[in-house]
Each structure stands twice: as C-alpha cells, then as structure tokens.
Amino acid sequence: MKKIFGMLLALCLFFGFTSCREKSASAQSPKSGKITVLASVFPAYDWAKNLAAGSENVSVELLLKDGVDLHSYQPSAKDIVKISTADIFIYVGGESDAWVSDALKNATNEKQIAINLMEVLKGFVKQEEVVEGMQSERENEALEGEHDNEVLEGEREEESDEDEDEIEYDEHVWLSLNNAIASSNEIARAFMEKDESNAQIYMANLVSYVQALSSLKDAYANDFGGKTIIVCDRFPFRYLTDEFGLNYYAAFVGCSAETEASFETIAFLAKKCEELNANAVFVTESADKKIARTVISSANRGEIPIITLDSMQSVTQKQANKGADYLEIMRNNLEALK
C-alpha cells in the first residue's frame, strides 16, 4: 500500500508542481560526456545523488564541500567557473547566496537549468521569526554598538524604521520533509529534461525516494505534536518544528552569526528549563555548547544532557563520501528529539 501511495504522490507532484527555474532547456539526450550537476548545499547534493542513482549519464558535485556555512561563504573564481558551466545548478536562493544571480548572468552554458529552491517552494517559504526570549539581530547590533557615540540618535531611528520594513526569509528550507519532496520532484524533472533516454530511471528513483521521505514524515508526525524544545543556540529548525507541531525557545534566529548570548537571554532560557521541567537542551552541530552549559548551570534542573540537532549547514564532501545522508541525518534528528 505504501509503495502505491509513494508512486501516486510522486506522479502527482511531477505533473502538478509548477516548474520554477532561472533558465529552461529543451528535452535532449546528454551531450558527449556526463550531465554535470552542481549543488550549493549538502541536502540538495544528496537529493540529486539519490535521484541520479543507476544512471551513468549524471555527475553530481557539491559546491560547499569544505564545511563552510552558507551564511559566510564567498565563491572563488574556480567556483564561479563551475557554476557557469554546469548543466544543472541547484542553489538555495536566499540572501546568503544573493551572489548567484550575478554568476548566472555570466553563465557560459546557454542550456543550463538553474533550480532556485526558494522559488520552487514559493508559498511555503517562511519569514524569520523572533519568539519570546530570543535575542534579535537588532539587539545584537545594539550590544555591539553600546559605546559608539558617533552616530546621531535621529540617524539611528531612521535606520531602525528601514529595518522594520525589511522582510528576512528563513533559508533553511531543506529541514522540511515536505520541502524535500517538492524539491526532489523538481530535480528529477530537470534530469528527465536533460536525459530523456533515462527518464524511467529518474522517475523510478523519484517514486522510491518520495516514499522514503513520506515514511520518515509519518514517523515524525506520530511523536511530537504540541511539545516544546529549548535550543541554546541559533535556530535554523523552524521548518522542521512548524511541520510537526513542535514549539520552541531559542537564543538566536536561524541566520544569526552570534555566539555570545546576553544575560537576559541566558536567564530566560534557564527559567524556561525550570518551568517546563526540561530533561535536555539542544544545540546545532557547530555549537561550542558554552551557552547551553551556562543555561543548565543557571537552571535548577541539575545536570541534564546537551543534545545536538543537525541542520546540515556544514556537511563536508569527506563526510558525504563516508556515507553522510540526508535521510539518515533527519532520522538522527528524530531520535535526538525523542
């Protein structure tokens, strides 16, 4: 029954989901050599690898292969050449990779298909939110500039008004399993467009992969409705928590570069640990756990564990070669939450 459901879901997505690409290419057989696929982040790379399985016509490469966070990444000249020549380029499409638009304007591959994930998921992309107790970017800037008397108060108010009008979107779209299904559909569509002769392989892979994603989604849905987690770190997991009805408190927003929390933030999270009788706190994979240890020591909860949730923002090519896998990481996140 699950197999039939997975196949129907994949087919519905394939025929019903709107294609959102920077450029379009007519259906064709692969040129001499392999179809080159370049993905900016690990989740998109792993989706593409799974969807290309069994085809000798596709070569998939990860752009951010050294574990560099998307928020701080700057492309090299070599990277720009890779982007320019790729047959299929998959990228997030948020503020952190705004440089991509310039790179695509200079693309030398006129038949390139560029897949902007935030465009593919248009309508499902969420704004960054500041929940109770969270240290906002504006507070961080205020803390950094407490001793700066060179800017006039009127100028500060004007800048503040401009900031309020600016909408910032959460770029961590891959942490929703629904988004993973929709994105996989779009990537498979691009493969079939570029390599018509192997379309059956890509469709079969899509059906199988959607089934695996759907099964994992069911496992999440059965466990977490209405529960609350405390994250002593930045919070890139909004797509995950919203999808499965989890509530959360956290130190910083998802795209924050901050590593130091204010006294007020520490005190708030410690108080929540006490109120909720928390039996664990969470951090991201890149955290030094300093904030988490301070929160625990400030709360009357004794020694409780610090558990890692993996946002997949810094998976390296070496880890991928050793078997790092989107589905497995999401399963590990499920076990961590349990």
Side-chain angles (χ1 to χ4, degrees):
M1 186 68 182
K2 279 192 173 182
K3 185 175 181 182
I4 294 171
F5 171 77
M7 185 176 292
L8 288 173
L9 180 57
L11 287 170
C12 286
L13 283 166
F14 181 72
F15 290 112
F17 204 84
T18 302
S19 176
C20 298
R21 300 174 185 157
E22 299 290 337
K23 296 182 183 179
S24 173
S26 58
Q28 58 184 32
S29 294
K31 62 188 178 183
S32 56
K34 293 187 176 183
I35 295 166
T36 56
V37 180
L38 182 65
S40 65
V41 292
F42 170 76
Y45 165 84
D46 195 57
W47 297 334
K49 289 281 284 186
N50 278 277
L51 295 167
S55 170
E56 296 181 355
N57 290 338
V58 177
S59 172
V60 183
E61 184 178 354
L62 175 61
L63 184 63
L64 277 67
K65 61 180 63 180
D66 296 323
V68 179
D69 192 299
L70 177 66
H71 304 98
S72 57
Y73 171 76
Q74 291 297 323
S76 66
K78 187 177 178 181
D79 293 335
I80 295 295
V81 171
K82 285 181 181 179
I83 293 167
S84 175
T85 58
D87 293 308
I88 299 172
F89 177 51
I90 312 163
Y91 66 105
V92 176
E95 186 178 337
S96 295
D97 59 6
W99 51 266
V100 168
S101 59
D102 288 332
L104 292 178
K105 286 176 186 175
N106 299 313
T108 57
N109 186 343
E110 294 180 357
K111 293 183 177 179
Q112 181 184 78
I113 295 175
I115 301 175
N116 177 332
L117 294 178
M118 291 182 79
E119 278 296 314
V120 167
L121 300 166
K122 201 169 186 176
F124 301 97
V125 174
K126 299 177 181 294
Q127 293 182 28
E128 277 199 341
E129 67 176 354
V130 178
V131 299
E132 183 186 6
M134 183 182 281
Q135 199 165 303
S136 69
E137 289 298 292
R138 191 174 301 165
E139 288 174 319
N140 294 333
E141 289 167 6
L143 287 170
E144 290 172 3
E146 279 179 348
H147 59 281
D148 186 358
N149 297 317
E150 295 180 8
V151 181
L152 296 175
E153 189 63 31
E155 291 176 345
R156 288 185 187 274
E157 289 177 4
E158 185 178 335
E159 289 172 4
S160 177
D161 290 341
E162 289 174 0
D163 289 343
E164 286 177 5
D165 293 335
E166 186 178 340
I167 297 174
E168 293 190 16
Y169 292 98
D170 193 323
E171 300 171 349
H172 310 93
V173 292
W174 58 84
L175 288 165
S176 154
L177 289 165
N178 279 332
N179 288 351
I181 291 171
S183 300
S184 296
N185 170 74
E186 189 68 12
I187 294 167
R189 188 200 299 269
F191 286 178
M192 291 180 230
E193 191 170 318
K194 281 289 185 184
D195 185 15
E196 233 180 17
S197 62
N198 284 311
Q200 287 184 326
I201 292 176
Y202 308 127
M203 177 53 83
N205 288 342
L206 176 63
V207 169
S208 176
Y209 199 56
V210 164
Q211 187 175 354
L213 290 166
S214 298
S215 295
L216 183 54
K217 182 184 165 187
D218 289 343
Y220 268 95
N222 289 333
D223 283 298
F224 301 117
K227 295 182 181 178
T228 302
I229 59 173
I230 296 172
V231 180
C232 302
D233 199 352
R234 59 181 179 174
F235 189 79
F237 303 104
R238 187 184 173 197
Y239 289 95
L240 181 64
T241 54
D242 279 11
E243 192 158 277
F244 301 109
L246 272 162
N247 303 309
Y248 72 91
Y249 296 103
F252 314 111
V253 296
C255 292
S256 174
E258 289 302 308
T259 56
E260 297 293 331
S262 67
F263 171 80
E264 290 77 12
T265 299
I266 295 289
F268 177 84
L269 293 177
K271 183 180 177 183
K272 285 300 173 185
C273 275
E274 295 173 8
E275 289 177 358
L276 298 170
N277 292 320
N279 57 8
V281 296
F282 295 90
V283 295
T284 68
E285 70 278 10
S286 59
D288 62 10
K289 301 183 181 179
K290 179 181 174 183
I291 296 173
R293 286 193 289 267
T294 306
V295 167
I296 291 170
S297 66
S298 302
N300 294 319
R301 292 289 299 141
E303 287 298 317
I304 59 175
I306 300 169
I307 300 176
T308 298
L309 287 174
D310 195 336
S311 66
M312 290 179 268
Q313 294 184 90
S314 54
V315 179
T316 65
Q317 184 68 63
K318 187 175 181 180
Q319 289 172 315
N321 292 342
K322 287 185 175 180
D325 172 270
Y326 175 85
L327 279 167
E328 187 62 26
I329 292 171
M330 290 294 280
R331 286 190 196 100
N332 291 342
N333 283 341
L334 172 59
E335 293 306 314
L337 289 168
K338 285 181 179 179

